[in-house]
Every structure is written in C-alpha cells, then in structure tokens.
Amino acid sequence: VVGQGPMGLTTAIGAKLTAKQVITVDFFENRLEKSREFGMDLVLDRSKLSPAEIVQKVLDATDGKGADVVIMAISEDRSEKSDAYDMAIDAMKEGGRMTGLFVDMKGVGQNQRINPRQFLRKEAVFAHTLNDVYTCWNDQLVAFQQVVDTVAEKGIPLEKMITHEIGFDGVEEAVRLCAEDLENVIKVVVYPDR
C-alpha cells in the first residue's frame, strides 16, 4: 500500500486481515510509525529509500515475485521525479493488480503519471473501482457492512489513527491540516457539538 494516510492505513489494516503479508510505503515518519503500530509486515520509508531500493526490498520480501496487489493511496506524488507509480509497477508481480484510492484535498489537478508500456509489460490489471468484484450497489453495501462488523469483532482500534479532534467551527483548520501538515496529521475528526 503506497501512502499511509487515513485511506492507505485503513486499507493496509483491512488487507492485514487476509493477506499473507502487507508492505507499506510513505514519506512521513508519523504515518510509518502508525503502520508499524498496526503490525504491517514491512514498512518502507520513501524519504530515505530510492525507488530501486524499495522495489528490491519488495522483491526480497516476496521471494523475487513482487506484490500481488498494489494499492495507490496517495493524493499527490511527493517524489522528486513523480515516480511513485513507476516504483509501484516495478514492485508488482507480472499479472498483478493495481488500484487507486485517493482524495484530491487541494482541488487541483494531480501530478501522478503511469507509463502505459511499463504497465502493459507486466500484463497487469488496473481497476479504480471494485466494479469487477461487486456487480451492484447492494453488494458494495453488504461488503461495507462486513468490514464494519469485522473491525468491531476483531477490536481493531481505528481510533489510533486520529491525530486531531476539532469542533465544527474549526472545519477550515481541519481541511488546512489535512492538506498542508502531513508530517503531523493522519486523521482529523470534526465534532459538530464542540
């Protein structure tokens, strides 16, 4: 899972319930620490490792095969060369699957790019949604309820992701924090009655 903000971390936690191993990547130490805290198998610091080093670590952890599934949970590619997708595709096994989960916090275009040749060489599948898994809206609702039930049953402490709690009058500050203070923010919760 590339990106350990609230969506990436939640995705990694969910994957941890069934996957053989979960590997996560992020730039920010606070997010990497949360990833470790939730028990991810391999946590890689993109601020200290090159794309080639990350790919090698993923290959080493998967007996040279690469990741079965890569989930891109980044709203903006923060790498110097905008190479997050290149790195992820290189770390994915042939015939692997990739999806993207992200929110555009700044309301501007994205700087992410995918090299189609690189992707096609891997004979990979990219699906932005789960439409190939769920055939109708009701199936998605059932799956969502199953996740909620599993989180409750397993006692997964999602509240550990919360780094800030703000009253409703602080909504603008909450949005600013999420967009501009990633070194200190993972999840901001806004309470209407505060």
Side-chain angles (χ1 to χ4, degrees):
V1 180
V2 179
Q4 287 295 279
M7 293 181 85
L9 191 55
T10 303
T11 300
I13 292 165
K16 189 74 177 147
L17 296 172
T18 58
K20 180 179 177 183
Q21 66 177 327
V22 178
I23 301 168
T24 60
V25 180
D26 204 286
F27 271 95
F28 301 105
E29 182 54 40
N30 65 325
R31 293 168 178 227
L32 296 165
E33 185 54 41
K34 286 294 177 193
S35 193
R36 288 183 202 98
E37 193 176 319
F38 278 104
M40 298 309 127
D41 300 289
L42 181 60
V43 178
L44 303 172
D45 187 341
R46 180 64 176 87
S47 72
K48 295 178 181 167
L49 297 170
S50 71
E53 290 170 317
I54 288 175
V55 169
Q56 189 57 55
K57 287 184 179 294
V58 171
L59 292 173
D60 291 346
T62 59
D63 298 322
K65 295 176 189 167
D68 294 326
V69 177
V70 175
I71 299 168
M72 299 300 290
I74 58 173
S75 62
E76 185 177 349
D77 188 343
R78 297 186 185 285
S79 60
E80 192 173 301
K81 296 180 180 178
S82 296
D83 56 6
Y85 274 86
D86 293 341
M87 175 193 70
I89 292 167
D90 287 344
M92 183 174 40
K93 76 174 189 176
E94 288 200 28
R97 292 179 46 167
M98 179 182 277
T99 190
L101 303 169
F102 32 77
V103 175
D104 182 4
M105 284 298 300
K106 295 182 180 177
V108 296
Q110 301 296 327
N111 67 337
Q112 302 162 356
R113 62 176 180 75
I114 294 177
N115 178 337
R117 289 187 185 115
Q118 179 191 22
F119 199 78
L120 292 172
R121 270 188 242 122
K122 285 277 184 153
E123 297 184 8
V125 174
F126 183 93
H128 181 63
T129 67
L130 298 175
N131 288 339
D132 61 331
V133 177
Y134 304 116
T135 57
C136 68
W137 181 247
N138 189 56
D139 289 348
Q140 291 181 33
L141 293 175
V142 168
F144 182 78
Q145 187 60 53
Q146 288 173 337
V147 170
V148 169
D149 293 344
T150 301
V151 166
E153 279 175 28
K154 303 268 186 195
I156 299 170
L158 294 180
E159 67 275 4
K160 286 183 174 183
M161 288 193 307
I162 300 170
T163 54
H164 295 74
E165 297 180 7
I166 295 177
F168 194 70
D169 60 345
V171 168
E172 286 184 29
E173 176 63 5
V175 172
R176 187 198 67 74
L177 286 168
C178 291
E180 298 174 8
D181 195 14
L182 300 179
E183 291 180 31
N184 298 304
V185 174
I186 295 177
K187 182 69 177 172
V188 177
V189 176
V190 177
Y191 294 94
D193 57 348
R194 283 193 187 174

